[in-house]
Amino acid sequence: MKPIVIVNFKAYEQGTGEKAQRLSQICSEFGAWVAVQPTDIRLCAPHATVLGQHVDAEGFGAHTGSVLCEAIKQAGAVGSLINHAEKKMTDEEVGTRVLRLKELGMTSIVCAENLDRAQRLKQYNPDYLALELPELIGGDISIITAQPGIVKQAVELLGKNVLLGAGVSSGADLKQALDEGAAGVLLASAIVSKTDDPQSALRELYSKI
Ligand code: G3P
């Protein structure tokens, strides 16, 4: 099965505007999806499979500042991250967003900061549950290395549609995640902000599968 690799551009300068467009093209050549800022969805969607980084629950109407599921869909996104560690929400807020995305036939990727939370959020039946330990985000040691056994445990508790994120960068990480039954990984800094050569970083990431 094709691995799910999501490159989250966050609000990094290297992942904003025209740089986001170019980077989304590179990611797409490897089959990776990209999660971009709402203002960059329309720019990146012709070149890649694009996700929003966040959505709100409101529909059309007088909701100044809201990021509508309908709007990101119109712009070309196929779905969205929900409850990223850098854009947290309550369980109920997660539930309403998963439902809204489902109504629109879009993909929901719900992030959780630990296994307990992930197990709770499973009740909303998102397409993917992404486990990211906040203390490892942006670091050089991956969740997979730092927490031996976590992939198997996550797959056992949450099912096969699990993604692992935080500190992920290597081909060994991706291979281990897949070998142990996860659907893939979510990563950011290794591709977006810590390298001048995202192509090589992606080549390394995909080198062992
Ligand atoms: O959403 C992915 C992200 O939070 C992981 O970030 O920089 O540790 O790969 P990073």
Side-chain angles (χ1 to χ4, degrees):
M1 214 173 54
K2 245 184 114 200
I4 304 291
V5 172
I6 299 172
V7 182
N8 181 0
F9 289 9
K10 303 197 173 183
Y12 288 124
E13 186 181 355
Q14 299 93 325
T16 299
E18 282 175 11
K19 291 178 182 168
Q21 186 181 24
R22 176 76 196 113
L23 187 56
S24 69
Q25 231 156 6
I26 294 170
C27 290
S28 169
E29 282 161 20
F30 289 84
W33 298 2
V34 298
V36 307
Q37 296 166 53
T39 41
D40 290 328
I41 292 173
R42 204 172 287 277
L43 210 54
C44 298
H47 313 287
T49 302
V50 171
L51 300 164
Q53 296 178 0
H54 164 82
V55 277
D56 293 309
E58 288 80 7
F60 292 119
H63 308 296
T64 305
S66 297
V67 179
L68 270 58
C69 296
E70 286 85 350
I72 68 164
K73 184 175 184 181
Q74 281 182 19
V78 300
S80 185
L81 304 182
I82 299 170
N83 190 46
H84 189 276
E86 292 148 11
K87 200 72 182 170
K88 290 185 206 144
M89 45 185 88
T90 64
D91 289 7
E92 292 68 28
E93 288 168 336
V94 170
T96 53
R97 282 149 182 83
V98 173
L99 198 65
R100 295 280 288 112
L101 289 171
K102 278 186 194 296
E103 283 167 2
L104 292 169
M106 300 175 78
T107 302
S108 49
I109 294 126
V110 167
C111 304
E113 65 274 31
N114 57 49
L115 274 171
D116 283 349
R117 182 94 197 275
Q119 270 186 286
R120 269 209 325 272
L121 296 177
K122 193 182 169 192
Q123 65 177 304
Y124 302 117
N125 201 20
D127 294 295
Y128 297 96
L129 274 163
L131 180 64
E132 291 201 332
L133 304 183
E135 63 275 19
L136 298 175
I137 292 178
D140 294 324
I141 299 173
S142 80
I143 180 172
I144 295 164
T145 308
Q147 301 268 317
I150 198 155
V151 182
K152 281 187 184 154
Q153 209 185 346
V155 171
E156 214 171 272
L157 292 172
L158 306 170
K160 281 191 167 301
N161 285 347
V162 166
L163 306 173
L164 281 296
V168 170
S169 65
S170 69
D173 283 336
L174 178 57
K175 182 174 182 342
Q176 187 177 341
L178 298 175
D179 284 351
E180 295 184 358
V185 297
L186 196 69
L187 74 170
S189 52
I191 309 296
V192 187
S193 65
K194 285 185 184 165
T195 179
D196 292 330
D197 186 357
Q199 224 139 4
S200 296
L202 283 160
R203 206 169 296 125
E204 153 57 20
L205 182 71
Y206 280 89
S207 64
K208 297 194 165 50
I209 55 167

